[in-house]
Amino acid sequence: MLNEIEQLEKDLAFETFSSNTALRIGSYLSRMAIEQNLPLVVDIRLYNRCLYHFCAEGTTRNTEYWVERKKNTVDFFGHSTLWVKTKVNGDATLLVSKYGLESSNTTIVEGGFPIVLKESGMIGTICISGLEPATDHRLVVEALKHELQRNHDESSVVKP
């Protein structure tokens, strides 16, 4: 299972990533939250600098807290929170006992994902929270795939 998650993270790597990329991904998720009345917090960071942050109706400070915990986990491991959950076999106490992390600042709850450049590795994080963890993860993956497909479609257009 770890290999499959690692492959997904590689498959969702970018050639380039900018503030405009973060805006498009964040807007995609935010529009979804608004249109479907989903209580989502969306957070996109590049080198730990916030490029996009959105809190939909129905979110609370606690929802933002979970985003922060997911971000910290992805920052530490360089992998998605799903990967970390799988790595510790669902035992969050191992974050403390094996890795020396603080349980109040990290989590194995899904919804955190690394932003990866093909040539240089992890450069940031995209985290969402507010729904069931598996749904948070699925929406992040969907948004990244959507952006990568958009990039692919634009690059394959023949220009005169």
Side-chain angles (χ1 to χ4, degrees):
M1 180 72 168
L2 281 177
N3 290 338
E4 293 169 12
I5 299 167
E6 289 171 6
Q7 187 59 53
L8 177 64
E9 293 172 1
K10 287 178 187 171
D11 291 346
L12 296 178
F14 289 82
E15 295 288 338
T16 63
F17 196 95
S18 68
S19 296
N20 290 334
T21 311
L23 177 62
R24 285 190 301 271
I25 294 169
S27 296
Y28 176 86
L29 288 165
S30 298
R31 274 193 309 276
M32 182 185 303
I34 292 167
E35 290 168 2
Q36 298 178 28
N37 198 31
L38 304 174
L40 288 180
V41 171
V42 179
D43 187 85
I44 303 174
R45 295 182 180 266
L46 192 60
Y47 299 111
N48 211 25
R49 186 176 59 120
C50 185
L51 296 183
Y52 190 92
H53 191 85
F54 172 79
C55 300
E57 294 295 325
T59 60
T60 65
R61 176 63 189 117
N62 188 50
T63 317
E64 288 188 278
Y65 174 65
W66 281 101
V67 161
E68 186 69 19
R69 291 176 72 186
K70 292 175 184 186
K71 181 195 79 62
N72 292 340
T73 302
V74 174
D75 280 343
F76 183 84
F77 287 95
H79 288 284
S80 67
T81 50
L82 176 59
W83 183 92
V84 177
K85 178 181 177 181
T86 304
K87 176 81 172 165
V88 299
N89 294 314
D91 184 358
T93 64
L94 290 177
L95 295 179
V96 176
S97 65
K98 185 173 181 179
Y99 297 100
L101 302 173
E102 293 184 33
S103 62
S104 63
N105 292 330
T106 55
T107 185
I108 60 170
V109 174
E110 298 162 55
F113 208 89
I115 296 171
V116 176
L117 288 183
K118 289 181 180 179
E119 296 297 321
S120 56
M122 186 178 139
I123 60 165
T125 59
I126 176 169
C127 300
I128 66 172
S129 193
L131 304 174
E132 291 295 316
T135 304
D136 286 348
H137 176 81
R138 182 182 56 78
L139 291 178
V140 169
V141 169
E142 178 184 325
L144 293 173
K145 285 181 177 179
H146 181 266
E147 179 62 19
L148 287 165
Q149 183 61 49
R150 181 193 160 286
N151 291 346
H152 173 62
D153 291 348
E154 282 185 358
S155 68
S156 60
V157 172
V158 177
K159 296 183 181 169

